[in-house]
């Protein structure tokens, strides 16, 4: 199935991100996904600092990661994402591909919610952000 990715970023595995087995530690993949989401939002001129100053808090409520292949030190890879609004949540579907062979290394699903002035938003804030 062809994915309709709307953003991608290229990154490279650093030595210190690998565990004793020589592969990227599982927790590091979450950082890769977060970095890609932040870069995507910046590309849309969305500033977390400015939103926070307006008492709008965007936050992760759930993360699922399916590990398919391991990345190792020096691997260059892309994190690709697409979005889907599901009720009060914005869902980021994020996939990581190794560039050398095109292998799918991780499938991720990140659900985000928003609080506006301390109250859970029904998701309308996502519409106003033009994601």
């Amino acid at each position: 199935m062809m994915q309709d990715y709307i953003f991608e970023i290229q990154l490279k595995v650093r030595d210190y991100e690998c565990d004793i087995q020589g592969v990227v530690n599982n927790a590091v993949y979450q950082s890769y996904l977060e970095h890609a989401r932040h870069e995507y939002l910046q590309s849309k001129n969305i500033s977390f600092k400015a939103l926070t100053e307006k008492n709008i808090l965007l936050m992760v409520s759930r993360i699922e990661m399916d590990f398919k292949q391991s990345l190792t030190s020096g691997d260059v890879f892309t994190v690709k994402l697409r979005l889907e609004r599901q009720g009060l949540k914005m869902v980021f579907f994020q996939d990581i591909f190794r560039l050398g062979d095109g292998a799918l290394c991780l499938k991720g699903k990140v659900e985000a919610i928003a609080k506006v002035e301390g109250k859970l938003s029904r998701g309308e804030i996502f519409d106003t952000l033009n994601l």
Side-chain angles (χ1 to χ4, degrees), residues 58-131:
L58 304 181
M59 55 196 120
V60 170
S61 62
R62 180 179 176 83
I63 295 178
E64 296 175 20
M65 294 188 298
D66 296 321
F67 299 92
K68 304 296 186 180
Q69 301 241 350
S70 295
L71 291 169
T72 60
S73 182
D75 281 345
V76 178
F77 62 95
T78 59
V79 181
K80 299 182 181 188
L81 70 80
R82 66 182 176 87
L83 292 172
E84 187 177 301
R85 173 81 182 278
Q86 294 181 359
L88 58 84
K89 300 177 218 166
M90 182 60 74
V91 181
F92 292 79
F93 293 92
Q94 295 181 262
D95 298 329
I96 295 179
F97 295 91
R98 186 172 38 238
L99 285 185
D101 60 3
L104 173 64
C105 296
L106 180 129
K107 290 190 74 59
K109 178 181 175 186
V110 180
E111 298 178 1
I113 59 170
K115 281 189 176 181
V116 179
E117 296 182 8
K119 296 180 182 172
L120 185 61
S121 164
R122 293 181 179 223
E124 62 278 352
I125 189 67
F126 295 118
D127 298 330
T128 64
L129 293 176
N130 193 28
L131 296 174

Side-chain angles (χ1 to χ4, degrees), residues 9-28:
I9 184 170
Q10 183 174 307
L11 300 168
K12 184 177 180 179
V13 175
R14 296 163 286 203
D15 292 338
Y16 65 83
E17 296 171 327
C18 297
D19 62 21
I20 198 166
Q21 297 172 331
V23 298
V24 171
N25 182 277
N26 65 83
V28 174

